[in-house]
Amino acid sequence: MNENLQSVFLSEEQIKEKVKEAAAWLDERFKDKNPLAVSVLKGSVMFFCDLVRAMETPVQIDFMTISSYGKSTQSSGMPKIVMDLAASVEGRDVILVEDIVDSGNTLYKLRELLVGRGAKSFTVVTLLDKPSRRKVDIKAGFSCFEVDDEFIVGYGLDYDQQFRNLPYIAVLKREVYEK
Ligand code: PRP
């Protein structure tokens, strides 16, 4: 394992099992509804690809790049749209896929934006959830794993744009982000 990593937090097998559960949860709700699955880049990309491939329901996919952290480990509270969706969400059942809900600011802003654009429904699936850090009142419909306040990386999640391509999720050593 990389010297900056402390331990494995979630193995590939643990992630795979939960992805199946999340996909089944979505299949139950969106069968015959032609939903639009939206990946919030960059963090959710690995989870998103595995999730939509585990679903039986035909889905359309689209992407949006939002950035709120930059190099910091603290949310700026002002998420910025770096790249918008190509598709219109008007009248669509939107499934928003996140890697992590932390302060909740990103999700709060996205809900406001997409519901404001006329989405028929707005459902959130997140891989990770840090409820203890929430600053605004918002909750995912399905969250795969709850996390305490460790800094975790891998399977899409980064520290300073590194570690996103790890196939598992690991805890980053404290001295790496506190130096
Ligand atoms: C992360 C993550 C979420 C958001 C969650 O994105 O992917 O979108 O922060 O934090 P919040 O609940 O406090 O708003 P980040 O800005 O790090 O960009 P990235 O997805 O490109 O890593």
Side-chain angles (χ1 to χ4, degrees), residues 42-43 67-69 75 98-100 102-106 158 164:
K42 305 175 194 153
S67 184
S68 55
Y69 284 78
S75 165
E98 265 289 18
D99 55 325
I100 188 160
D102 192 314
S103 69
N105 285 322
T106 305
D158 75 308
R164 291 196 200 268

Side-chain angles (χ1 to χ4, degrees), residues 131-179:
S132 63
R133 302 239 311 170
R134 205 70 94 248
K135 295 220 170 70
V136 290
D137 185 22
I138 196 150
K139 230 177 126 190
F142 190 101
S143 81
C144 296
F145 302 98
E146 275 198 14
V147 197
D148 292 330
D149 211 4
E150 292 106 336
F151 199 101
I152 46 183
V153 294
Y155 195 62
L157 287 104
D158 75 308
Y159 170 66
D160 200 8
Q161 301 303 325
Q162 295 181 77
F163 307 110
R164 291 196 200 268
N165 66 319
L166 293 176
Y168 54 86
I169 296 178
V171 179
L172 188 67
K173 282 184 184 164
R174 191 169 276 273
E175 63 256 34
V176 178
Y177 58 90
E178 281 186 347
K179 75 185 169 199

